[in-house]
Amino acid sequence: MASEVFFTDLRTGPGNNLLVKLENLVSTAGIGKIGFRDKFVAIKIHFGEYGNMAYLRPNYAAVIVRMIQNLGGKPFLTDANTLYSGSRSDAVGHLRTAMVNGFNRIATGCDVIIADGLRGNDERIIDVQGKYCPSPRIAAAIAEADIIISLNHFKGHEQAGFGGAVKNLGMGSGSVAGKREMHSTAQPVIDIANCTGCGVCEKHCAHDAVHVVDGKAAIDLEKCVGCGQCVAMCRRGGAVMGSTESCDILNFKIDEYAKAVLKGKPNFHISFIMNVSPECDCWGHNDAAIVPDLGIAASFDPVALDRACADLVNAAPTLRTGNELSDKEAACCSDGHHSGGDCCCHGGEGKSHPGHGGASDKFNFLHPDTNWSTGLDYAEQIGLGSNDYTLIRV
């Protein structure tokens, strides 16, 4: 049976602004069916790395907070500390970053709790008998909440293909040790031909795993935890993911972690298909959006929600105002090896780029070592949700 995914576009008018539309969407999707009375409600959200401006506006979180409070719940905004260096690698910096980005009691109407504590060690082990992660290590405040609500910024991701509801739940809710477990088989490699020895990867590696030797970067795989910070920081394609297989396993682990987060708990999910940047909000920058802002979607099924959001983005036109996707499409069309209907970036056979995926799948075209679809297929296989959905426009 197809899951219901509710969607509203971003057209507004007097008395019907985006905050009103969000509340109407969530109400119509049935969030009120959850029994919130006197329950602790973890609103899982990404507060945005300092300097990254693609994160969700706190105004949207405030709408959901108020709705839950009106239904008798006890909501709190939450996320877990990061594995890589940055402004959110411990609770002190994480809280400061959340405050700077507008997530505070005054703006949102509830408090922020960093779910895995000061250093990322406050965790609970949840048995899901997973193939890759039998007992995920979930940040304590999320594990102990009665109800899970996810607010997701839908965008590209250099290791998972895209980041949506499942990744926000799985990777985002893991303790630091849990994130290390998920990333352990997703180690990047250095493409020597593209590496210029600039040292940006060495500078930003939190684990002393990357060093420039004889003008080229080298990764110490004994120290590398697979966090992917070098991939995100490199602008020249010098640091890349090792293989599609390693990215697939990362997605499978994220699925199992998401299953642990939701195990036995009422849950609901809201995704904002806005400012669809090519990479994650974890980095201290965000590149230009690749498609126009499309809308907001909501569902009780995180897998169906992610599938619907991916379909909406892939059906949308690429913005031609200068972004990573349009640059790559332009390079693909002008490489001199093919043209017109056979061009991989226009959904053709892609003869010059076998396995390239084409811009009919924008995320795989941006990050060709990833295959987000296999992640959703595995999520369905383990009972996290369904790839079958009905889109209901509100």
Side-chain angles (χ1 to χ4, degrees), residues 79-103:
D79 198 4
N81 291 311
T82 64
L83 183 60
Y84 54 83
S85 63
S87 67
R88 300 179 302 119
S89 58
D90 60 70
V92 174
H94 208 153
L95 285 168
R96 183 187 302 116
T97 300
M99 179 73 71
V100 167
N101 286 347
F103 295 95

Side-chain angles (χ1 to χ4, degrees), residues 30-357:
I31 196 173
K33 298 174 184 176
I34 297 175
F36 286 103
R37 180 66 56 185
D38 296 327
K39 302 293 186 181
F40 290 114
V41 184
I43 301 177
K44 174 62 182 72
I45 191 170
H46 193 303
F47 298 119
E49 192 69 20
Y50 180 73
N52 186 302
M53 302 302 293
Y55 62 88
L56 299 181
R57 292 185 180 184
N59 311 65
Y60 297 124
V63 171
I64 306 305
V65 167
R66 186 183 67 251
M67 292 181 72
I68 293 170
Q69 289 171 337
N70 289 342
L71 291 166
K74 301 176 180 179
F76 60 95
L77 297 171
T78 191
D79 198 4
N81 291 311
T82 64
L83 183 60
Y84 54 83
S85 63
S87 67
R88 300 179 302 119
S89 58
D90 60 70
V92 174
H94 208 153
L95 285 168
R96 183 187 302 116
T97 300
M99 179 73 71
V100 167
N101 286 347
F103 295 95
N104 53 65
R105 173 173 282 275
I106 295 173
T108 66
C110 75
D111 289 315
V112 171
I113 296 175
I114 304 306
D116 56 348
L118 181 62
R119 299 180 185 274
N121 300 322
D122 194 0
E123 64 185 18
R124 300 292 181 268
I125 308 300
I126 299 177
D127 180 23
V128 294
Q129 299 182 13
K131 178 180 178 181
Y132 302 92
C133 301
S135 301
R137 310 166 78 97
I138 304 302
I142 293 172
E144 295 182 0
D146 301 305
I147 298 167
I148 305 294
I149 307 294
S150 70
L151 295 184
N152 320 291
H153 172 218
F154 194 82
K155 70 281 180 188
H157 192 276
E158 55 280 2
Q159 290 179 297
F162 66 68
V166 174
K167 185 175 182 297
N168 183 25
L169 291 164
M171 182 61 74
S173 298
S175 67
V176 168
K179 290 181 172 70
R180 190 184 298 270
E181 179 181 32
M182 283 182 275
H183 278 294
S184 62
T185 50
Q187 292 175 311
V189 297
I190 300 299
D191 185 332
I192 296 299
N194 289 331
C195 177
T196 63
C198 68
V200 67
C201 53
E202 178 177 358
K203 177 181 177 181
H204 290 278
C205 180
H207 305 279
D208 192 38
V210 189
H211 295 281
V212 176
V213 180
D214 296 329
K216 298 290 183 179
I219 298 176
D220 183 344
L221 296 181
E222 293 297 317
K223 294 181 178 180
C224 176
V225 299
C227 71
Q229 186 156 12
C230 55
V231 177
M233 299 304 296
C234 182
R235 297 291 89 189
R236 298 173 176 85
V240 296
M241 290 309 302
S243 69
T244 301
E245 181 182 9
S246 67
C247 291
D248 285 348
I249 293 173
L250 174 65
N251 274 330
F252 301 159
K253 290 181 174 183
I254 290 170
D255 294 341
E256 292 177 350
Y257 264 69
K259 182 177 180 178
V261 171
L262 302 182
K263 184 179 179 181
K265 297 179 180 181
N267 56 90
F268 186 83
H269 314 280
I270 308 160
S271 289
F272 296 76
I273 318 171
M274 306 172 180
N275 202 350
V276 183
S277 47
E279 294 173 342
C280 186
D281 293 345
C282 292
W283 315 122
H285 62 274
N286 58 285
D287 204 354
I290 60 173
V291 296
D293 290 350
L294 300 178
I296 311 170
S299 180
F300 284 97
D301 183 336
V303 179
L305 180 60
D306 275 357
R307 176 67 69 172
C309 290
D311 288 348
L312 286 164
V313 170
N314 282 331
T318 301
L319 286 173
R320 297 297 171 187
T321 52
N323 58 74
E324 186 176 352
L325 179 60
S326 64
D327 289 349
K328 286 188 173 182
E329 288 180 349
C332 179
C333 290
S334 62
D335 69 1
H337 297 330
H338 59 279
S339 62
D342 285 339
C343 182
C344 59
C345 68
H346 288 107
E349 296 178 8
K351 295 174 183 177
S352 299
H353 302 280
H356 202 264

Side-chain angles (χ1 to χ4, degrees), residues 13-33:
N16 191 34
N17 61 38
L18 288 180
L19 302 181
V20 172
K21 293 191 75 170
L22 172 61
E23 183 167 359
N24 183 47
L25 171 75
V26 171
S27 295
T28 304
I31 196 173
K33 298 174 184 176

